[in-house]
Amino acid sequence: MVTHGDEVRADGPHRNGVLRITIACTGVAAARFSLCLHVKSRHPR
């Protein structure tokens, strides 16, 4: 995880772009995680 918090806060519009990317990545991660849980629950070991 790379954090450039201070650099990002320096200018507003750029922060909005980073925020959107972060939200998108979080959404993808959550979707993958829920899919993984779904598959695991269907195929118990």
Side-chain angles (χ1 to χ4, degrees):
M1 188 101 182
V2 180
T3 54
H4 293 290
D6 296 331
E7 292 175 27
V8 171
R9 280 189 207 111
D11 58 300
H14 184 61
R15 188 177 73 165
N16 281 344
V18 171
L19 191 65
R20 282 182 193 159
I21 291 168
T22 303
I23 290 170
C25 289
T26 304
V28 170
R32 280 185 172 179
F33 182 68
S34 61
L35 183 67
C36 183
L37 283 180
H38 179 69
V39 170
K40 279 185 178 178
S41 65
R42 284 188 61 178
H43 302 284
R45 285 179 176 271

